[in-house]
Amino acid sequence: MDLFESIVGILFWLLIIYMISRVFVHFDHQKKEMKSLHEKVDQLLEERKDQ
């Protein structure tokens, strides 16, 4: 029984770590999207200045 409980505990912690890492990856991806959005806006502003 103790072995079973320890395996369940390990799986539980792995699941928590997996969820946390997914959240951080999601935020990182959003940051990259925001950065590319900012770059597009900067490009548009530059093009506007040139005209």
Side-chain angles (χ1 to χ4, degrees):
M1 194 64 192
D2 287 343
L3 180 65
F4 177 73
E5 284 175 4
S6 63
I7 289 170
V8 168
I10 289 167
L11 286 175
F12 180 71
W13 281 110
L14 283 175
L15 183 67
I16 290 174
I17 291 166
Y18 172 74
M19 295 299 266
I20 290 171
S21 65
R22 279 287 301 272
V23 167
F24 278 111
V25 166
H26 181 69
F27 277 118
D28 194 47
H29 186 68
Q30 279 188 330
K31 270 192 232 166
K32 283 177 188 158
E33 282 181 359
M34 288 297 288
K35 195 175 175 191
S36 65
L37 188 71
H38 285 289
E39 286 169 1
K40 281 177 189 166
V41 169
D42 288 343
Q43 278 182 339
L44 285 172
L45 288 172
E46 286 295 319
E47 286 172 10
R48 272 274 177 70
K49 280 182 196 170
D50 292 345
Q51 284 177 355

